[in-house]
Amino acid sequence: ALLKEQEEIALNKAVDSLPKAQDFTTELKNLSALKQPLEDFFAKIMVNAKEAEIKNNRLSLLTKVKTVLFKTADLGKLKKRG
C-alpha cells in the first residue's frame, strides 16, 4: 500500500469510517470528524511528492475526501456573507 505516513492512514480511516446519516444536520456533524485528520494531513504531508505513485495516491485520497464532502453539500454554492 502506498499509504505509509501516519497522517495519510488516519485520514483514509476517518473517511472510510464516516457513518451514514439520514439528515443533513447529522451528516454535517459526522463530517466534522474529518477536521483533525485533514489538519494533520496538510500540516505534515507533502502532497506533491517527488515519487509519482505517492503523489497520485495522495491526490486520490484528497479526491475521496472531496467526493464525501460533495455528497453532503456542494460547498461551492454557499454564498459569502457580507
Side-chain angles (χ1 to χ4, degrees):
L2 293 175
L3 293 177
K4 296 180 181 178
E5 303 296 329
Q6 177 183 350
E7 294 79 13
E8 295 171 301
I9 295 166
L11 179 56
N12 189 58
K13 184 177 178 181
V15 172
D16 288 345
S17 65
L18 283 173
K20 282 285 185 191
Q22 298 300 322
D23 63 271
F24 182 72
T25 303
T26 304
E27 188 73 24
L28 284 179
K29 287 179 185 176
N30 291 345
L31 289 175
S32 70
L34 297 179
K35 181 183 183 295
Q36 193 61 54
L38 275 169
E39 286 180 0
D40 294 344
F41 179 86
F42 284 114
K44 305 232 173 116
I45 300 296
M46 174 61 70
V47 175
N48 289 323
K50 290 180 183 179
E51 302 85 0
E53 287 182 336
I54 293 173
K55 175 184 174 180
N56 291 336
N57 202 56
R58 290 174 178 171
L59 289 171
S60 293
L61 177 56
L62 293 176
T63 299
K64 184 178 180 180
V65 171
K66 177 185 166 191
T67 300
V68 168
L69 292 174
F70 276 62
K71 280 184 181 177
T72 302
D74 185 348
L75 303 177
K77 292 185 179 181
L78 294 177
K79 292 190 179 185
K80 210 177 195 181
R81 289 187 188 191

